[in-house]
Amino acid sequence: MKKEIPLRLSVLGHPQRLSVFRLLMRRYPDRVPASEIGAALDVKSSTLSSYLSALMQAGLVTQTREGTWLYYQVDLGGIRETMDALFFDCCRGRPELCLPVRADWKQENTGMTDPRYNVLFICTGNSARSIFAETLLRSIGSDRFNAFSAGTKPSSELNPFAVETLRAKGHDVTPLRSKNISEFMGDTAPKFDFVFTVCDQAANEDCPAWEGQPISGHWGMPDPVKAEGSDAEKSLAFQQAYGTLKNRIQAFAALPIAELDRISLQKAVDDIALNT
């Protein structure tokens, strides 16, 4: 086993360093500024700096600079190298013994009685972006997908600019409402095949792992609710958010899901965030 592997496992054995690593994994493919990581985890800058330094030295996180800002991102090469070492060394050349619970994702889904995949979109308020995504997937891929959305801290009602944008695009807004993520947890909840976060704040939150290990993706984008200015300027922000999500949903709905293994499908989901 390469000497880096024990170091990486040791670094991740520290609970706070592991929290930083997990946040960056949830935010991939984003590059996240240190200030945002510290605020999300309530960690002092000096302490966070030592955590990030250890993760970088272990080859688990990369750092890039833009002007005076430092940004951090998980190092997928180092992570894959570590997982390979665990599968092929620790599992003694029998990686099938150590694969994730849903490594047979493709085979499992080919035998489904319902041919549609369950997809959940999460943001903080569930008043605009995740509502857009739910509505768009329901419109574009209703023959292949069941679309849902929820918020970690949902608003009491949908944003009026979001509702008007959907109406103007010809969508039926009657069934839409803000929902708490807790509605989709428990024995009676749908079993999700895909879970997407569409805002950074929701991705920063350390939610419980979803049952069945669905494919996850982070499609973070600016919050149109925070747009300032005239009503026309605010409306434009919602139009732009709708357009970005429409491009991503169209790309997602076009994926040959049944033909892809889990690794290829995860990469395709990540690439959508990078390329649209």
Side-chain angles (χ1 to χ4, degrees), residues 155-232:
S155 306
S156 58
E157 59 183 22
L158 303 183
N159 184 282
F161 284 95
V163 173
E164 181 54 35
T165 299
L166 291 173
R167 282 201 182 106
K169 300 295 184 182
H171 297 288
D172 179 14
V173 300
T174 305
L176 300 176
R177 63 183 178 88
S178 290
K179 304 167 289 296
N180 192 293
I181 197 172
S182 61
E183 290 190 26
F184 299 100
M185 297 178 175
D187 295 338
T188 60
K191 299 300 184 288
F192 291 106
D193 301 291
F194 299 88
V195 176
F196 295 96
T197 48
V198 292
C199 81
D200 294 345
Q201 186 172 342
N204 286 346
E205 297 181 24
D206 192 6
C207 297
W210 292 93
E211 182 180 348
Q213 294 182 324
I215 298 290
S216 63
H218 177 54
W219 290 354
M221 54 187 302
D223 185 359
V225 175
K226 295 182 178 179
E228 299 179 348
S230 66
D231 283 356

Side-chain angles (χ1 to χ4, degrees), residues 117-121 133-139 141-142 145-149 179 184 192:
Y117 302 99
N118 291 330
V119 184
L120 177 65
F121 298 97
E134 173 190 2
T135 304
L136 281 162
L137 185 58
R138 191 172 292 153
S139 173
S142 60
F145 303 95
N146 297 314
F148 306 86
S149 70
K179 304 167 289 296
F184 299 100
F192 291 106

Side-chain angles (χ1 to χ4, degrees), residues 237-258:
F238 282 86
Q239 295 281 348
Q240 291 171 334
Y242 177 93
T244 297
L245 282 167
K246 183 177 181 180
N247 290 337
R248 292 178 178 179
I249 295 297
Q250 287 176 327
F252 172 66
L255 292 176
I257 294 175

Side-chain angles (χ1 to χ4, degrees), residues 85-139:
L86 292 174
F87 287 158
F88 293 106
D89 190 332
C90 296
C91 293
R92 308 304 298 169
R94 300 184 62 188
E96 71 277 4
L97 298 179
C98 302
L99 289 173
V101 175
R102 293 195 72 189
D104 58 345
W105 190 91
K106 175 181 172 183
Q107 290 76 12
E108 178 179 314
N109 278 278
T110 55
M112 292 190 306
T113 55
D114 185 344
R116 292 176 294 181
Y117 302 99
N118 291 330
V119 184
L120 177 65
F121 298 97
I122 303 172
C123 65
T124 305
N126 192 215
S127 67
R129 288 165 290 182
S130 54
I131 291 291
F132 282 171
E134 173 190 2
T135 304
L136 281 162
L137 185 58
R138 191 172 292 153
S139 173

Side-chain angles (χ1 to χ4, degrees), residues 35-88:
S35 58
E36 188 173 340
I37 300 172
L41 299 177
D42 192 23
V43 178
K44 294 181 180 179
S45 59
S46 58
T47 304
L48 177 62
S49 179
S50 68
Y51 295 162
L52 290 167
S53 178
L55 289 165
M56 287 189 294
Q57 289 176 10
L60 294 168
V61 169
T62 62
Q63 178 195 80
T64 56
R65 179 184 292 274
E66 291 185 7
T68 59
W69 289 87
L70 294 175
Y71 293 86
Y72 298 88
Q73 184 184 53
V74 292
D75 186 334
L76 287 187
I79 295 167
R80 290 184 179 124
E81 183 180 67
T82 304
M83 298 307 297
D84 282 349
L86 292 174
F87 287 158
F88 293 106

